[in-house]
Amino acid sequence: MKKSLFLSFFPFVLFQPILCAFTPYENFLLSDESRRVGLIALADEDIVNSMAESTFQIGSDARKQLKAAGVENLHVFTRQIGAQGFVFAYFEWDSTCKESLTTVLNGNCAEVAQLEKKLTPHPRAAKGEIWLPMEWMNCIATTKAFPHKSKKVQKMALMSGLKPEKELDYRSLHQTNWPGVVDGMVMCNYRNWTTFIVELESELYLFTYFEYIGENIAADNALMASDPVTNRWWAHTEPCLINLAGEGNWSSMKSLLP
């Protein structure tokens, strides 16, 4: 077959990345997208309240150090649920190496190192470390897949409980996100929707980071709620979740960064 004829039938051979793994997770790592990292630590109620009332700033020097280490888009969130306080650190990292996940922040950011002194390690955190890397469940509506020009980006986080008997259902659904649901989220101005899962004793928790780029979140949420594909999706996903704080199945978390 002549080269020109070959290319007319198979242009993707030269111009598309060749992914060879069998899991969406590994294929994502093999892509040119940054790895999404979710770290979890614990805190008592007094610490959560004091963090909520104070301003957590990361200086320009620390941001330069973090960037040099491959860390981008660092954000920290907290929430008190009953007697337990949770601290969720999210960032994007251009390395697939796992060895430094829990130390890359405090090793390059004095402000995070100071914050860690107030926190309690997750019971499964490595000896001498504060954070536990959560299992990365999925990432949808990335800005590379759905680029935008919005200069106003609101960075938010939610958490929920997951019924243990529904874990397989929820994982399966989120490894095969329906295209109509993804398109609906994009139409409603959501991006970088990333979900992590972690256990604490016998309970399962979900933590989600996302970005809103619109102007009217209430109107966009109403639009999403009116979408029939999204409603069919929720009919499968919502029964898997646990209402932790009487706010619905997803509880908002407070951002510690301005």
Side-chain angles (χ1 to χ4, degrees), residues 2-71:
K2 292 182 179 180
K3 183 177 180 181
S4 59
L5 183 59
F6 176 82
L7 290 177
S8 68
F9 280 100
F10 303 106
F12 57 88
V13 171
L14 296 182
F15 302 112
Q16 294 294 323
I18 298 175
L19 304 180
C20 58
F22 285 92
T23 68
Y25 169 65
E26 289 178 283
N27 279 330
F28 196 101
L29 293 179
L30 289 169
S31 74
D32 61 354
E33 281 276 3
S34 297
R35 177 188 180 90
R36 270 57 171 178
V37 178
L39 304 179
I40 192 70
L42 308 176
D44 61 34
E45 187 170 3
D46 289 341
I47 294 297
V48 170
N49 289 337
S50 67
M51 286 191 294
E53 294 171 0
S54 62
T55 302
F56 178 63
Q57 299 278 357
I58 297 179
S60 58
D61 289 343
R63 290 194 179 277
K64 290 177 182 177
Q65 279 187 252
L66 288 168
K67 187 172 183 179
V71 174

Side-chain angles (χ1 to χ4, degrees), residues 141-154 186 189-192 211-214:
T142 67
T143 51
K144 285 187 178 180
F146 299 97
H148 63 85
K149 296 182 180 180
S150 176
K151 295 181 180 179
K152 182 180 179 181
V153 178
Q154 298 181 53
V186 170
N189 292 309
Y190 286 101
R191 295 291 193 283
N192 281 335
E211 297 169 0
Y212 177 71
I213 61 169

